Amino acid sequence: GESVGLHLPTLSVQEGDNSIINCAYSNSASDYFIWYKQESGKGPQFIIDIRSNMDKRQGQRVTVLLNKTVKHLSLQIAATQPGDSAVYFCAETGGLTQGGSEKLVFGKGTKLTVNP
Amino acid sequence: DTAVSQTPKYLVTQMGNDKSIKCEQNLGHDTMYWYKQDSKKFLKIMFSYNNKELIINETVPNRFSPKSPDKAHLNLHINSLELGDSAVYFCASSQDRGIGGYTFGSGTRLTVV
């Protein structure tokens, strides 16, 4: 079966530090990956995505790294701020490939706490 | 305007009752979804509709019945509610097979007592 998991359920960092959240996936057919942020009482919010033909993608303060060899995904947040405190999910899908599953499968989530 | 809106936000009901959760999206997306988030924050897909047609139906009890009157709406009806149905239910929508991500609603917290 397919599964997407996270190495660390919780992560606590100091404001201004860089944060790294890791994710392992097992479905080698997945070709598209997304990181979501979920704040308390809200729905998941899209942060950044990456296609399987890439190994790195950068956003404003976030970077996603993809290592297909070991089926590993990570989210790096630079200069972490208190507003970054949330639960972060990685998610995978095979939706880029015609005939592939477009079902978005979520990992278990990592709770990031940023201390002032 | 809220992109994906679901109502109600909170729902407390007794075991055995039947309840519905409504979802509407104004993004013009073709596909809508229902996800269930349990107490451990795990998000699991339940259903997916594309242009009113059911395309994903996970192993969900048949007490759960989605209905899509048009592509902007996907409602979830639950019969004979059980304690284990207590969770947060999220509606989401996407375009182009989900590329660009899903847009989620703010969730409906269902508590069965």
Side-chain angles (χ1 to χ4, degrees), chain A residues 32 34 36 38 41-44 46 49 51 89 95-97 99-100 102-104 106-108, chain B residues 9 31 33 35 37 40-43 45 55-56 58 90 97-102 104-106:
Chain A
Y32 182 59
I34 308 171
Y36 282 89
Q38 186 179 22
K42 296 183 180 180
F46 175 95
D49 59 359
R51 300 184 180 218
F89 295 92
L96 279 178
T97 304
E102 60 185 85
K103 180 173 64 176
L104 193 63
F106 280 80
K108 292 183 180 177
Chain B
K9 188 168 177 63
T31 310
Y33 312 82
Y35 275 79
Q37 186 171 47
K40 297 180 181 178
K41 297 289 190 181
F42 187 63
L43 274 160
I45 191 167
I55 57 171
I56 294 175
E58 292 294 286
F90 286 99
R97 296 173 61 81
I99 307 309
Y102 293 10
F104 283 82
S106 57

Side-chain angles (χ1 to χ4, degrees), chain B residues 35-110:
Chain B
Y35 275 79
K36 179 180 180 180
Q37 186 171 47
D38 62 22
S39 59
K40 297 180 181 178
K41 297 289 190 181
F42 187 63
L43 274 160
K44 186 165 169 46
I45 191 167
M46 301 172 68
F47 300 104
S48 171
Y49 269 75
N50 180 274
N51 275 319
K52 303 192 296 177
E53 181 184 347
L54 181 65
I55 57 171
I56 294 175
N57 185 349
E58 292 294 286
T59 309
V60 177
N62 57 17
R63 298 182 294 104
F64 290 79
S65 53
K67 284 187 173 56
S68 182
D70 55 61
K71 78 171 193 177
H73 295 84
L74 180 62
N75 304 322
L76 183 65
H77 188 76
I78 315 170
N79 290 325
S80 303
L81 278 155
E82 299 177 358
L83 293 176
D85 297 332
S86 295
V88 181
Y89 292 84
F90 286 99
C91 177
S93 71
S94 75
Q95 190 66 306
D96 298 330
R97 296 173 61 81
I99 307 309
Y102 293 10
T103 302
F104 283 82
S106 57
T108 295
R109 181 174 292 277
L110 171 66

